[in-house]
Amino acid sequence: MKLIHLSDLHLGKRLCGFSLLDDQAYILDELLDLVREEAPDAVLIAGDIYDKPVPPAEAVALFDDFLVRLAACGAQVLLISGNHDSAERLAFGGRLMDARGVHVSPAYQGTLVPVTLDDPAGRVDIYLLPFLKPANVRRFFPDEAIESYTDAVRCALAHRQPGTGNRSVLVAHQFVTGAATCESEELSVGGLDQVDAQAFAGFDYVALGHLHGPQQVGTPAMRYSGTPLKYSFSEAAHQKSVPIVTLDAPGQAEIRLAPLTPRRDLLERAGSYDTLTSRAFYSTFDQNAYLHLTLTDAQEIPDAIGKLRTIYPNIMRLDYQHTAGAGCAALALGPQAERRTPIDLFDDFYQLQNDRPLSPEQRALLCGMIETIWEGQE
């Protein structure tokens, strides 16, 4: 049986104030082309369909169109809610969609019933486990000790309905201990939401969502597909991909990755203002990319982002990295500090940070400010 594993579409997401809806529509078309080419038996979508529990209308329309075209490809579609989704809203109409081969996990109600698919080798039971917190499970099993996220997942899986086949797949949306994280993820402080990988043991393949970097966890058969697009500049070096999973005999899962190419990439570049505005620099990368630029000039450039946007219209973020004075741990005041004037002390600090003394105009401005402060304290 051939499966395509997707997750974390985050439809409706904005990055640095930029709407990514057109980029998301583009990558969904690319995913549909891949499904048509691979002709899988099922497409698994492991949560975070939307970026918010109440998504914008445009995001809902985009996913509606994607589902219709995905179902028309002939594959069964199985999807769960993630921590960014509303499980109840996402499951609306789910029982009607079952007849079209689109299976949506309901909000957790104390049991998991598998969706069973057949192929020439037999049956495959696919369990859909939406994002769980301990409180979601504890209400159904008040007599069990459910304190952690690992406890919650173990309890939920222990009470799943037995399958009818000898191969099984789990679709889940949790943070597995040891996996690599990115800036764009919503994680609990201190790692309280982590789940031990052993809680997912016993499945032929575990299709995970929640973390945005594509990666395996523990074994090749337990994998995060990652996001189809880069949703933070911490992901700039990622190669986004789609796992294509072939299940043969029990315990045998062959996995290969199909790379994805976005409409616009995310790139990070650094240099002085003169460097960033030079023709030689301009020609070194794709001008359609979304950019995070870092200026290394010692002095700030007035309206730098406005000026740079005339050259690079897709700048998402601009930072400064002042290199002057870098590596200086602290200003050494010495035993004579109390005998020196505040303006002299500030001048020392300014030289330490900028490799030059205060100008006469700066000294005059600073003296005036100090006098004003002292007068206000009298």
Side-chain angles (χ1 to χ4, degrees):
M1 180 169 291
K2 183 188 287 188
L3 309 172
I4 283 183
H5 170 195
L6 311 174
S7 76
D8 295 274
L9 306 180
H10 285 279
L11 300 181
K13 184 175 180 62
R14 301 179 70 86
L15 179 57
C16 300
F18 283 63
S19 170
L20 298 179
L21 208 62
D22 289 343
D23 300 86
Q24 291 174 330
Y26 180 94
I27 208 69
L28 291 182
D29 285 342
E30 189 172 329
L31 292 172
L32 285 166
D33 289 341
L34 179 66
V35 172
R36 295 185 188 106
E37 179 183 345
E38 292 290 338
D41 297 285
V43 176
L44 314 177
I45 309 179
D48 279 357
I49 308 302
Y50 300 114
D51 194 53
K52 296 180 179 179
V54 182
E58 297 83 359
V60 176
L62 180 59
F63 187 59
D64 177 68
D65 179 68
F66 177 64
L67 270 188
V68 169
R69 293 193 290 161
L70 192 56
C73 293
Q76 298 287 303
V77 181
L78 301 94
L79 63 100
I80 64 172
S81 56
N83 59 301
H84 281 254
D85 301 310
S86 165
E88 293 79 9
R89 288 188 177 93
L90 193 63
F92 174 79
R95 287 177 293 175
L96 292 174
M97 288 190 284
D98 277 342
R100 290 291 306 272
V102 178
H103 310 279
V104 185
S105 68
Y108 183 70
Q109 296 296 319
T111 188
L112 298 176
V113 179
V115 176
T116 301
L117 305 180
D118 295 291
D119 71 356
R123 292 184 169 183
V124 177
D125 298 313
I126 303 178
Y127 290 89
L128 303 179
L129 181 68
F131 176 71
L132 290 181
K133 296 181 179 180
N136 301 138
V137 183
R138 197 181 297 126
R139 59 183 290 225
F140 297 103
F141 305 100
D143 296 331
E144 298 202 23
I146 302 173
E147 302 297 332
S148 66
Y149 278 74
T150 297
D151 294 338
V153 168
R154 281 179 172 156
C155 182
L157 294 178
H159 289 87
R160 69 184 184 271
Q161 179 177 305
T164 58
N166 57 6
R167 290 172 295 170
S168 61
V169 171
L170 176 66
V171 185
H173 191 94
Q174 303 289 162
F175 177 14
V176 178
T177 303
T181 61
C182 305
E183 290 179 0
S184 56
E185 298 150 358
E186 187 176 292
L187 305 175
S188 294
V189 176
L192 296 177
D193 56 349
Q194 294 187 24
V195 177
D196 192 307
Q198 288 302 312
F200 301 108
F203 292 93
D204 294 280
Y205 184 73
V206 180
L208 292 168
H210 193 33
L211 301 188
H212 293 181
Q215 59 192 295
Q216 73 177 53
V217 186
T219 68
M222 188 182 301
R223 173 171 286 277
Y224 286 100
S225 67
T227 55
L229 292 174
K230 300 174 183 180
Y231 286 140
S232 72
F233 283 99
S234 67
E235 302 167 53
H238 286 188
Q239 171 59 65
K240 299 299 185 179
S241 59
V242 175
I244 301 171
V245 184
T246 302
L247 297 179
D248 295 317
Q252 296 181 8
E254 176 190 329
I255 302 163
R256 57 189 172 88
L257 302 179
L260 294 173
T261 303
R263 175 172 173 251
R264 290 190 176 99
D265 204 357
L266 262 63
L267 300 177
E268 294 185 296
R269 296 291 186 271
S272 68
Y273 180 80
D274 288 342
T275 297
L276 297 184
T277 55
S278 68
R279 185 177 296 276
F281 182 85
Y282 178 86
S283 62
T284 60
F285 57 90
D286 179 7
Q287 302 311 307
N288 287 321
Y290 292 122
L291 295 176
H292 170 204
L293 297 181
T294 300
L295 286 170
T296 58
D297 300 84
Q299 295 291 319
E300 291 196 11
I301 309 297
D303 190 30
I305 193 164
K307 294 174 181 176
L308 288 167
R309 276 209 173 116
T310 63
I311 305 172
Y312 309 107
N314 294 319
I315 294 178
M316 283 188 162
R317 179 175 166 185
L318 179 66
D319 291 327
Y320 274 89
Q321 177 186 317
H322 295 295
T323 56
C328 299
L331 178 64
L333 297 178
Q336 306 301 320
E338 292 183 2
R339 302 180 185 178
R340 305 187 64 207
T341 66
I343 190 67
D344 288 336
L345 290 172
F346 190 90
D347 190 40
D348 288 347
F349 177 75
Y350 186 85
Q351 289 195 58
L352 182 67
Q353 294 297 310
N354 298 282
D355 292 334
R356 63 179 184 277
L358 288 167
S359 68
E361 294 81 6
Q362 289 172 321
R363 287 185 69 91
L365 176 63
L366 188 60
C367 285
M369 293 174 64
I370 291 173
E371 290 175 1
T372 300
I373 293 170
W374 282 352
E375 287 174 1
Q377 293 176 345
E378 291 178 355

